[in-house]
Amino acid sequence: MNWSFRAFRLLHLTLAQQLVLLALLPATVATLGVIAVLTRQHLSNVTELVRANAQTVALQVATVAQSQIQRMDRRALQRTAQSGSYQPHVQQVQIWSEDGEIVANSETTDRARGEGLQVVAPIIGDDGKNAGKVMVEMSLDAVGSAKHAVWFNVVLVLAASLVGVGLAGWWAARRISAPIRELGEAVERLGAGEDAQVTIEGTAEVRRLQDGFNQAARALSESRSQLESRITNATAELARKNQQLEVASQAKTRLLAAASHDLRQPLHALTLFSDGLANGETDPARLQRIGHIRECVESLDRLFTELLNLSQLDAGVLQPQWTDFPLDTLFDEISRNFRAVAEQQNLRLVVRKTDAWVRCDYVMLSRILNNLVSNSLRHTVEGGVLIGARRRRKGIRIDVCDTGVGIAAHHQTRVFEEFYQVEPQGGRQGGRDARGMGLGPATVQRLAALLNTRVELSSRPNKGTCVRVVVRATEPLVPMPAPPLLPAGLMAEDDGGLRNIRVLVIDDERTILEGLQVVLSNWGAEVLAAQSRSEALALASAWDRPPDVVVSDLLLQGGDNGLDVLAALERHPNGIGPATARLLVTGETKPDRLREVASAGVTVLYKPVSPKVLRQAIAAQLATVRELA
């Protein structure tokens, strides 16, 4: 761990420092090795010299003591030993007899005794035999002095060599690292988009590297200039395209809004007149033609409803109203709405009962399921459609499955895009099964997003399609109160349903006024008609009692507004009051208009309005007003 840490720290040294260190390390090791060898040799030579000196002194003493030891003249032997101890660096001299007895011993007294080297020399008698021996102890101070001198010289030489090597290494490192450092700074400038050319100098290898860098920098600078130019052009082109798309989108919105509004007016009138034609008609042939007219009107109504739903989503006027309700209530409504359609196509519509409660927006979830069931019926030739619910953890999964023509795999990821349609494969054509504009699935997807959920689709060609929506489950509440009963005389009957009810109708289209008069009169209502604010106020000044219901168009002649007309009637001395129900009918799809209508607090019906829906809306508003009264 310690070595790895040190190695890691070395990685943070500059190149020059690393090169100097690289030069110093081998120089230091080599110098120390050479000095160690030389020092050892020198000290060994000094030691051998001391030994040789001691051997010489011992031989001299042995020669002098040869005759003296034979006579065993101890006094003379002592003098001989003393004379030997007077030699330089001699610390002790001993003369031993043949049997090992020390017959003379002399030690130095004029200097401190230190570590010594002992040498023994034999005393040879006249007969050539060993007569004794001499031991001389020589001081090793010379060796110690030599050691100190050597270490001083070692430090001096090592310091001088390291300084020299360090200076040489630093010079070489600077010479090598300076161009590299310059290249690094040039790379930084190049990254910042500045001029990054470097001066070509140094060794051949460095010069080659510098030249290659300059060429690469020039090529990169040219590429960057070209890329910046392309980006600038592409950005300008993209801005221009975005502007064109924005203009086209606004034009599309205006076109759809204008076309929708202008087409809804005659379609609304056609709806009213077709209902008026059927009233009292008994000829089967004419009733069949009227039925065909109604089917066409309903098909157009479905297309306009898709546009309206999309416009409301674009306008942001649709916001979830979270409530807890039993899912079976919605299933019953779907069953009532589509069972007749399924039977007409010889299909089965199976809606399974469920006791699950969900927390969701009732209207949005109803739109989603109605759209899914409508699509399933439209693309199913035989078999039928199954609607059911299953619990999944904390949610309820609602399944809408059919045995229709199915959707190929490459279409399944795009069916929820706006205006995307899959070519029918064996599906019904014409009549009630005429194709729409591909807005229904897109509306489903966007409504699901508002409800914080998603729509999942699985399908197999010629086998059928299953669409799943997961909503949040909740605990059952107390039983929901039954819807209020309609007042007497307001039951859903074709004749006399609005007897003794006075209705003021305001619309700038004469045909719509006539259609409303026909339908409302057939229901027994007393109808007052006005095409403008002035006509409505004139009627208010003349009537003996205010109308029970006011049905007004939103956009009137001269830029007038149905909401403003209702406000003017409220301010009129003989105008309407809280006891008068109010309904707005409009074919407008512009986002700002939809937001204005949503914030008005008045019930709104979107053209074309079928007589059945109109009758139900009038009855509901009258019931609400009378409850509040």
Side-chain angles (χ1 to χ4, degrees):
M1 178 65 72
N2 189 26
W3 282 105
S4 62
F5 176 72
R6 292 179 180 177
F8 175 76
R9 292 188 61 184
L10 287 176
L11 295 176
H12 291 76
L13 297 177
T14 64
L15 178 61
Q17 292 171 339
Q18 293 184 35
L19 290 174
V20 171
L21 186 61
L22 186 63
L24 286 176
L25 285 178
T28 303
V29 173
T31 303
L32 289 176
V34 172
I35 290 175
V37 172
L38 295 177
T39 301
R40 185 174 181 180
Q41 278 186 336
H42 177 67
L43 294 178
S44 178
N45 292 336
V46 173
T47 303
E48 291 299 322
L49 180 60
V50 171
R51 187 184 300 277
N53 289 338
Q55 188 72 32
T56 300
V57 173
L59 290 175
Q60 290 176 354
V61 172
T63 302
V64 174
Q66 179 180 1
S67 60
Q68 295 172 351
I69 198 168
Q70 288 179 354
R71 300 192 305 267
M72 197 56 66
D73 186 354
R74 291 180 181 272
R75 184 173 292 181
L77 289 172
Q78 184 64 34
R79 288 195 300 268
T80 301
Q82 288 178 350
S83 65
S85 64
Y86 292 153
Q87 296 295 325
H89 306 296
V90 176
Q91 296 185 135
Q92 185 178 11
V93 177
Q94 289 182 346
I95 300 176
W96 295 350
S97 64
E98 183 180 0
D99 55 3
E101 180 186 1
I102 299 176
V103 294
N105 180 34
S106 178
E107 298 181 14
T108 60
T109 58
D110 58 343
R111 57 181 180 274
R113 184 81 175 266
E115 183 182 1
L117 175 67
Q118 294 180 350
V119 176
V120 178
I123 301 174
I124 306 299
D126 293 338
D127 55 1
K129 295 182 179 180
N130 189 1
K133 59 182 178 181
V134 176
M135 187 277 295
V136 176
E137 182 180 347
M138 186 70 72
S139 173
L140 293 178
D141 290 342
V143 176
S145 299
K147 282 184 179 179
H148 291 302
V150 166
W151 281 117
F152 177 77
N153 292 331
V154 165
V155 172
L156 187 63
V157 171
L158 181 61
S161 63
L162 291 181
V163 169
V165 171
L167 291 176
W170 180 255
W171 176 83
R174 294 279 296 179
R175 183 174 176 81
I176 295 174
S177 65
I180 297 178
R181 185 174 62 255
E182 185 180 357
L183 282 175
E185 295 173 354
V187 170
E188 293 179 355
R189 294 196 304 272
L190 185 63
E194 302 175 1
D195 182 22
Q197 297 294 313
V198 296
T199 304
I200 299 178
E201 59 183 1
T203 63
E205 293 81 0
V206 174
R207 292 169 65 88
R208 183 177 179 183
L209 177 63
Q210 292 168 338
D211 183 62
F213 175 80
N214 287 341
Q215 293 180 9
R218 285 193 294 270
L220 185 60
S221 179
E222 294 175 359
S223 299
R224 176 181 293 166
S225 300
Q226 294 177 0
L227 183 61
E228 289 178 351
S229 177
R230 292 177 182 177
I231 291 176
T232 302
N233 295 335
T235 303
E237 181 68 15
L238 181 61
R240 187 175 63 84
K241 294 291 185 182
N242 286 339
Q243 185 177 6
Q244 292 177 352
L245 288 175
E246 183 66 22
V247 172
S249 177
Q250 294 176 357
K252 179 208 71 173
T253 302
R254 290 193 299 268
L255 175 63
L256 288 177
S260 176
H261 178 269
D262 294 343
L263 291 175
R264 282 172 184 272
Q265 296 291 97
L267 182 61
H268 182 49
L270 181 61
T271 302
L272 299 174
F273 281 122
S274 64
D275 187 77
L277 287 175
N279 184 48
E281 183 62 58
T282 58
D283 186 355
R286 292 184 178 180
L287 287 175
Q288 184 179 12
R289 295 190 188 99
I290 294 173
H292 291 322
I293 293 174
R294 285 180 171 176
E295 288 179 356
C296 294
V297 171
E298 289 175 3
S299 178
L300 289 173
D301 183 29
R302 183 172 61 253
L303 299 180
F304 281 117
T305 300
E306 290 179 356
L307 280 176
L308 177 62
N309 290 338
L310 200 61
S311 298
Q312 288 177 320
L313 290 170
D314 289 336
V317 300
L318 292 182
Q319 296 298 327
Q321 303 297 322
W322 302 100
T323 57
D324 298 342
F325 59 89
L327 190 57
D328 204 48
T329 303
L330 180 56
F331 280 9
D332 289 342
E333 177 183 318
I334 294 173
S335 178
R336 289 193 302 269
N337 291 342
F338 292 98
R339 189 166 300 280
V341 178
E343 291 175 353
Q344 185 179 1
Q345 299 177 212
N346 296 321
L347 299 175
R348 292 184 61 200
L349 177 63
V350 179
V351 182
R352 290 180 176 173
K353 301 291 289 183
T354 177
D355 58 354
W357 281 61
V358 296
R359 180 167 181 78
C360 195
D361 184 294
Y362 186 92
V363 176
M364 289 188 180
L365 186 58
S366 174
R367 282 190 182 183
I368 291 175
L369 296 182
N370 282 328
N371 203 310
L372 294 178
V373 174
S374 176
N375 281 341
S376 294
L377 291 173
R378 188 178 306 129
H379 297 95
T380 300
V381 180
E382 58 182 1
V385 178
L386 171 65
I387 306 168
R390 296 181 180 181
R391 294 188 180 273
R392 287 292 182 269
R393 295 182 181 178
K394 296 183 180 180
I396 301 294
R397 193 187 77 186
I398 304 173
D399 299 333
V400 179
C401 302
D402 61 57
T403 58
V405 296
I407 303 173
H410 62 280
H411 290 304
Q412 293 180 16
T413 57
R414 300 192 60 191
V415 293
F416 293 106
E417 297 178 7
E418 295 177 8
F419 301 103
Y420 186 82
Q421 295 174 294
V422 180
E423 292 297 328
Q425 300 176 358
R428 297 174 181 266
Q429 299 295 322
R432 300 182 64 89
D433 299 297
R435 298 176 63 201
M437 294 183 293
L439 292 177
T443 303
V444 167
Q445 188 78 299
R446 295 178 66 173
L447 286 173
L450 286 176
L451 296 176
N452 298 322
T453 186
R454 63 184 185 278
V455 179
E456 299 177 350
L457 180 144
S458 60
S459 181
R460 294 176 60 188
N462 302 318
K463 297 293 184 180
T465 302
C466 190
V467 183
R468 302 175 181 87
V469 181
V470 179
V471 294
R472 182 180 174 184
T474 187
E475 294 298 325
L477 303 178
V478 295
M480 295 182 64
L485 297 176
L486 297 180
L490 295 182
M491 303 303 293
E493 301 170 353
D494 287 341
D495 295 321
L498 297 179
R499 186 171 290 110
N500 300 324
I501 298 299
R502 175 177 288 184
V503 181
L504 171 61
V505 180
I506 307 172
D507 199 301
D508 55 357
E509 292 287 340
R510 174 62 63 182
T511 55
I512 294 179
L513 280 181
E514 293 177 358
L516 286 173
Q517 286 178 312
V518 171
V519 171
L520 294 173
S521 298
N522 289 337
W523 296 340
E526 177 187 353
V527 182
L528 302 176
Q531 284 187 281
S532 62
R533 179 190 303 204
S534 58
E535 292 184 10
L537 294 178
L539 290 174
S541 300
W543 61 44
D544 55 346
R545 65 180 179 89
D548 300 291
V549 184
V550 177
V551 180
S552 176
D553 191 8
L554 178 64
L555 299 182
L556 301 172
Q557 289 180 349
D560 207 351
N561 189 301
L563 292 173
D564 296 336
V565 174
L566 290 175
L569 288 173
E570 292 173 356
R571 294 191 300 267
H572 193 278
N574 196 34
I576 61 177
T580 301
R582 298 162 177 79
L583 274 176
L584 278 178
V585 180
T586 181
E588 186 60 56
T589 58
K590 291 181 180 179
D592 55 343
R593 290 292 187 182
L594 293 176
R595 285 190 288 269
E596 179 184 3
V597 171
S599 61
V602 180
T603 300
V604 181
L605 299 177
Y606 294 95
K607 298 178 181 178
V609 181
S610 67
K612 178 181 178 181
V613 172
L614 179 62
R615 183 172 63 245
Q616 291 175 347
I618 292 176
Q621 291 303 306
L622 286 173
T624 301
V625 169
R626 293 180 181 180
E627 282 183 358
L628 295 176

